[in-house]
Amino acid sequence: MTTTPTAAPADERLRPSRLPTDPTLRRATLLTAVNSLGNGLYFPLGVLYFTRIVGLDATSVGLGMTAAGLVGVAAGVPAGRAADRWGARRVGAWLWAGTGVATAAYVFVQSYAGFLVAVLCATGLQMASRGVQGAIYADVLPLATRVEARAYLRMVVNVGMGVGGLFGAIALQLDTRAAYVTVILVNAATFAGPALLLPRLPLAPHALERAASTDDVPAADRWRAVRDLPFLAVTVLNAILVAQYTLSEVGLPLWIVERTEAPRWTAALLMILNCVLVALLQVRVARNASQVPSAVRAMGWSGLLLAVACAVYALSAGLSPVWAVLALSVGAIVQVFAEVLSAAGGWTLGYELADSRLHGVYQGVFGAGMSAGMMAGPALVTVTAIQHGSAGWAVLGVLFALAGLTVAPAVRWAQRNGEWRGDKH
């Protein structure tokens, strides 16, 4: 197999203002940009296609998507195990190709049964691929800059989603079947096309050594991640912090409309603010959270900052429109710092606490935890902040703070457990 050339200095390769010079990271950037552009296109109008064009009931569509999410969470670990056995790049390519085919099938949906089949396949395969993508990055990115490179790719995702969202808004304004179908097929192509290039990402030298050592792992230990209690504890804590993403997507729009005097367009303003600041800050923050001690500190600060953001959001209720917008904006800025800290810390811990010989199944578990956190987030925000106002925000803030601060003892437990087992990282 081909190995990557010597990595360029991190500051040169990962500067947000230009494309990376490392060939592998450049290819990964292209794949990520294409896929995120398609996702951004589809995101604003996915549900509306099934309700307005196909004619399905909105509640039924929501239930179907929830069921599809559960399938995706459950599929994450088997997909990770498959990546260990057959190679992360190959399995990732099959998952992306399958997602593309299932997404294209949306244009043929005419009944609820057809919708269920298509959405279960498309969403299940896409969510299952998250952990496999983590394993792919573990195989193809240099160890020294792996977390920083993931931060760069996350910046690319934000930009791609934003650009795609602009074109998706045009299709949404046209509101015709042809416009919706075009967006769906383009989104499907952004999965199927990059899937052809995934197997061509060259393995980094350390991945070749890992591939040779994986065969030495006893068969009984190859599912170890699902019973690695310390690693599962860190996964759950990370999942709680990941639930913050639904604050911007679900919680704040509802809070703005139902509980504040802020104009409705404030929700869009906060989303744009989030995308811009994440793109500007994520790489810089990741550079300071690429080792376990700094990652633990980042997770702790993330939880505390989320608690502060929740308190500021709560204060926005009852203020005049101008002051409400100002308070919500301050809260959103604080949340952005929490978000980039938890993302960088989570990537580092997900890799460093895993047995490197079994990255597929370990990243499958970690990715399934993230998917579960994002699935549970809307309900969590609704039953706390939206239903109970300031008291609910307080509960949510305490939960985030406790999760962030508990990461430190959970990581110490995981490190002791890894040393006892003699894991390789």
Side-chain angles (χ1 to χ4, degrees), residues 225-298:
V226 300
R227 59 180 187 274
D228 188 336
L229 294 182
F231 186 82
L232 292 176
V234 175
T235 297
V236 170
L237 295 173
N238 182 67
I240 294 172
L241 294 176
V242 162
Q244 67 172 291
Y245 297 144
T246 58
L247 290 182
S248 299
E249 298 171 6
V250 178
L252 288 180
L254 290 174
W255 177 256
I256 289 167
V257 172
E258 297 182 11
R259 297 277 191 153
T260 77
E261 299 298 323
R264 295 188 178 187
W265 51 258
T266 307
L269 171 67
L270 299 184
M271 285 291 290
I272 294 171
L273 185 64
N274 178 278
C275 289
V276 171
L277 290 179
V278 168
L280 292 174
L281 295 173
Q282 188 66 81
V283 173
R284 293 174 173 85
V285 170
R287 289 172 183 164
N288 298 315
S290 59
Q291 302 297 323
V292 171
S294 56
V296 170
R297 288 193 296 271

Side-chain angles (χ1 to χ4, degrees), residues 47-59:
V47 174
L48 293 178
Y49 168 74
F50 292 112
T51 56
R52 292 181 59 80
I53 305 301
V54 180
L56 302 179
D57 175 69
T59 302

Side-chain angles (χ1 to χ4, degrees), residues 317-379:
L319 298 178
S320 67
V322 173
W323 283 104
V325 171
L326 180 61
L328 290 165
S329 299
V330 171
I333 292 171
V334 174
Q335 186 188 334
V336 165
F337 282 96
E339 181 179 332
V340 295
L341 283 167
S342 68
W347 293 327
T348 297
L349 297 181
Y351 286 130
E352 296 299 324
L353 300 181
D355 185 338
S356 63
R357 299 168 299 178
L358 302 170
H359 261 309
V361 69
Y362 269 89
Q363 299 311 314
V365 167
F366 206 70
M370 294 180 65
S371 297
M374 286 186 280
M375 278 191 58

Side-chain angles (χ1 to χ4, degrees), residues 174-211:
L174 293 174
D175 199 31
T176 64
R177 179 178 180 84
Y180 284 95
V181 166
T182 299
V183 167
I184 289 171
L185 292 179
V186 170
N187 186 35
T190 64
F191 281 100
L196 299 175
L197 301 178
L198 269 180
R200 300 183 182 181
L201 289 175
L203 290 175
H206 68 270
L208 298 175
E209 299 175 7
R210 183 181 80 85

